[in-house]
Amino acid sequence: KARDIYLSMPAFRDCGDRYYIMCDLILDRDFDEAVSSGENGINSLKRLAARTYSTSETLMQEKIYAYAGRMKKAGNYSFARDIFAILKAYGYSDSAKQIEECTYQIACGLQAKGQDLEAAKLFASCSYNGSADRLNACYYAYAGEKIKLHDYAEAEKYLKKCLSYSDSRDILNGWKEIYDRADTLYASEDFAAAAKVYASLYNWSDAKAKYTDSRLAYASQLRANGDYEAAREIYLQLNNNTEVTETDYLIAIKLYNEGKNNAAYTAFSALDGYKDSALYIRKVYLSSARVYMNNGSYKDAEACYLEAGNLEGATEELKKCRDYIIDECLAAHNYTEAYRYMGLNSRKADMLTVAEEL
């Protein structure tokens, strides 16, 4: 209000001078309010940086610079950097250099807390003395954490950024030696050993893919040697359902060849028509029919022959089976049942004889 009154009568006494004094006092008041607001006053400082005192064009920027210096000395580097950034827009003093130093100190704080990747981004953005070494140290430390988590792919990425730092190059060369040893084992068809070595590298390079390849090759090797159960377990672990089904099929054939008809039937039935499993089910019935025949269980044999259909002479064997059933019926004087089976076997002459008995 005082400023406005002095402005309204600039020619009276020293009102003109007092007007400028009021303007300067207003700037002082606004600056003090901005400072007392702390970090919330940053926008006010931006506006004030463009203002000038009647006695100096740079006095306000000097005051803001001094304030930034106090914040920096107090360890509030983030806020100090923001203030120096305001002054940098005006090219004031060494604001750019101060921003570099504040950024460096912020990065050092993050590094001390173990936030290496965040610190590295800041070190990479400034050229302050020592930043390059700190940057490499952050990359190395971050890679070390990833190695602990077996994330070798990520670790390799950052070790390559700091090859000249500490033993980064030796670590990478060590992984290459391990990888080459696994390749040698794979080439010699020692797939189980190769898989273990590849596994030790986890996801470095293409070790993960080669680990899977080695496991698949080992499973195929086991299956070729007849160790179907061990092979099937590996296929299950790798979620390879196609090979699991193929292995189940081979297990079913093995059971069939061993004469384990009940188990073979269950195994082939579970395959739901895979390959010629339906044909093998008929073969299982035929095999079971022959077992029943040898045991004298002709009715059970007949039921199995019927399921086998005309497979591998089953029709002729079925007739023979029914002849045995006819003999059993006649011996038991069960002429009605004998007559029925004679009809099934087309024994017309015998049917007349039985009819007369009836």
Side-chain angles (χ1 to χ4, degrees), residues 179-211:
Y179 182 87
D180 289 344
R181 185 165 71 251
D183 279 351
T184 300
L185 290 168
Y186 187 93
S188 65
E189 297 188 359
D190 191 349
F191 302 121
K196 288 180 181 179
V197 179
Y198 284 129
S200 70
L201 293 172
Y202 290 82
N203 62 345
W204 182 74
S205 186
D206 61 346
K208 189 173 183 179
K210 287 204 170 184
Y211 165 77

Side-chain angles (χ1 to χ4, degrees), residues 139-317:
Y139 285 151
Y140 183 83
Y142 180 73
E145 291 301 314
K146 291 301 173 181
I147 290 172
K148 291 178 183 177
L149 298 173
H150 307 302
D151 189 352
Y152 292 116
E154 186 75 356
E156 178 189 28
K157 176 181 174 182
Y158 285 91
L159 287 174
K160 284 182 175 179
K161 292 177 181 287
C162 59
L163 282 175
S164 61
Y165 186 82
S166 189
D167 60 346
S168 297
R169 192 180 300 275
D170 292 337
I171 292 172
L172 290 174
N173 288 339
W175 291 347
K176 182 65 168 60
E177 290 176 6
I178 295 171
Y179 182 87
D180 289 344
R181 185 165 71 251
D183 279 351
T184 300
L185 290 168
Y186 187 93
S188 65
E189 297 188 359
D190 191 349
F191 302 121
K196 288 180 181 179
V197 179
Y198 284 129
S200 70
L201 293 172
Y202 290 82
N203 62 345
W204 182 74
S205 186
D206 61 346
K208 189 173 183 179
K210 287 204 170 184
Y211 165 77
T212 300
D213 291 343
S214 297
R215 293 276 284 164
L216 285 171
Y218 181 50
S220 296
Q221 198 175 57
L222 289 170
R223 195 165 68 183
N225 293 330
D227 194 348
Y228 300 120
E229 295 298 337
R232 186 180 191 278
E233 183 61 28
I234 294 174
Y235 290 132
L236 277 174
Q237 292 170 3
L238 296 175
N239 294 318
N240 193 323
N241 294 328
T242 299
E243 294 301 334
V244 169
T245 302
E246 176 64 18
T247 306
D248 286 340
Y249 173 76
L250 294 174
I251 290 172
I253 290 176
K254 180 184 177 184
L255 292 169
Y256 168 75
N257 290 334
E258 291 174 350
K260 298 176 181 178
N261 294 322
N262 290 337
Y265 175 81
T266 300
F268 281 121
S269 296
L271 289 169
D272 194 25
Y274 179 74
K275 285 189 172 180
D276 57 352
S277 55
L279 175 62
Y280 265 102
I281 289 174
R282 293 172 63 197
K283 288 183 177 182
V284 169
Y285 275 118
L286 181 58
S287 177
S288 298
R290 288 168 178 169
V291 171
Y292 284 130
M293 282 286 286
N294 290 333
N295 294 335
S297 301
Y298 303 120
K299 286 290 185 73
D300 291 328
E302 180 197 25
C304 291
Y305 279 127
L306 288 171
E307 293 291 343
N310 60 353
L311 188 67
E312 299 176 15
T315 303
E316 294 302 318
E317 293 183 26

